[in-house]
Amino acid sequence: MTAKALAWPRPAFARPGPTFGWTAIKRCRSSLLQQTIAAKNEAIAALQKKIAGMEVAREEVREARAASIADKERLILDKVTQISDLKAKLLCTEAGMGAVMSNRIVLEIGLARLYPGLNNLTEQWDKFGKEHVFEQDGKSLKGNVVQLLRELGCTRDPKQIAKELQQLIHNVSKPAHFHQHPSGLGVAIGGPEPLGSAIAASVVLLQRATPYEFQVRFVDKDGRDKHLLDQGVVKAPIEFATDTE
């Protein structure tokens, strides 16, 4: 038997067939990778768009809330102003029937008109004091206030008046003791010294800072007229402040 006759036949699975090669495999993998990256990018872009939409919506909610709060605050300020106007109207009506001692109310009207956004009379007065009454140390009176006290005929030491002004709201909340109630008509403020001059100076400063629709009589502890306070100007008493038979 020859060697050729003894050779084993080649198995069918070992026969050469078609091959893709490494180039085709790499190309396939690259295509799949690009598709995956593109899909991820699309997902990221969609997510970013959704987040942006949520941010816009949240900002719109914030703006709506801010607008709502601003509207409510505006309504509150309007109500405070209306209350102040009603107090002034009521005071003028009462003053047309007889002299009305109104130290606290006259201060309340002016301070509420200047600072309607502050919570209470004490806060309003503290702010007014810093802006119009005291020097930066919070104790010494401004030069124009000292001059005003002279115009009002005050002979007390300005330091005494300053102490009264520092506690003005507390002091005017206490009942004032007059030997005699002022006669005649009109709105009156004042009282025993040094409180009387402290109140009068405060009213003049408030008149200079915000309009009042009425004049104010400055009276002493005996109810006698000392000055007429008219839109921030200290005047001598006039006939309207006395009784007319």
Side-chain angles (χ1 to χ4, degrees), residues 20-36:
F20 292 97
W22 282 110
T23 302
I25 293 173
K26 289 179 180 179
R27 189 179 298 115
C28 182
R29 292 176 61 185
S30 176
S31 176
L32 290 173
L33 182 60
Q34 290 176 359
Q35 291 177 11
T36 302

Side-chain angles (χ1 to χ4, degrees), residues 37-224:
I37 293 173
K40 287 184 177 179
N41 288 339
E42 289 179 5
I44 291 171
L47 184 58
Q48 290 175 338
K49 185 177 181 180
K50 185 176 181 180
I51 292 172
M54 293 174 65
E55 289 291 344
V56 170
R58 184 165 60 179
E59 189 61 30
E60 289 175 350
V61 170
R62 286 176 181 171
E63 291 177 357
R65 287 178 179 173
S68 177
I69 292 171
D71 288 341
K72 289 179 180 178
E73 290 178 346
R74 194 177 300 109
L75 285 173
I76 292 172
L77 296 183
D78 289 343
K79 291 296 182 184
V80 171
T81 302
Q82 290 174 17
I83 291 171
S84 177
D85 292 344
L86 287 173
K87 282 183 178 180
K89 186 175 181 178
L90 177 61
L91 186 59
C92 290
T93 300
E94 293 177 348
M97 296 182 287
V100 181
M101 283 301 306
S102 47
N103 288 338
R104 183 184 174 95
I105 296 177
V106 172
L107 295 175
E108 284 179 352
I109 291 170
L111 290 171
R113 288 174 173 174
L114 279 174
Y115 312 111
L118 296 183
N119 294 328
N120 55 60
L121 190 61
T122 300
E123 289 184 9
Q124 293 168 344
W125 173 251
D126 288 344
K127 186 172 179 62
F128 184 80
K130 292 176 182 178
E131 294 178 350
H132 299 276
V133 181
F134 299 105
E135 297 287 1
Q136 291 185 352
D137 61 6
K139 298 179 180 179
S140 306
L141 298 177
K142 290 180 178 290
N144 66 305
V145 180
V146 175
Q147 177 60 35
L148 174 58
L149 290 171
R150 296 194 191 101
E151 292 181 47
L152 292 168
C154 178
T155 58
R156 296 295 186 96
D157 188 332
K159 292 181 180 179
Q160 286 184 297
I161 307 298
K163 289 181 179 179
E164 290 290 338
L165 289 168
Q166 287 171 349
Q167 300 295 324
L168 186 64
I169 301 306
H170 173 72
N171 293 336
V172 298
S173 299
K174 298 183 293 185
H177 299 287
F178 291 88
H179 295 169
Q180 185 175 343
H181 190 83
S183 60
L185 306 174
V187 177
I189 56 96
E193 293 295 338
L195 178 60
S197 291
I199 296 171
S202 302
V203 170
V204 173
L205 293 172
L206 280 166
Q207 288 177 332
R208 292 174 180 177
T210 187
Y212 278 78
E213 54 268 73
F214 53 86
Q215 298 169 314
V216 179
R217 295 168 57 186
F218 172 30
V219 301
D220 63 15
K221 61 183 176 60
D222 296 316
R224 294 175 299 197

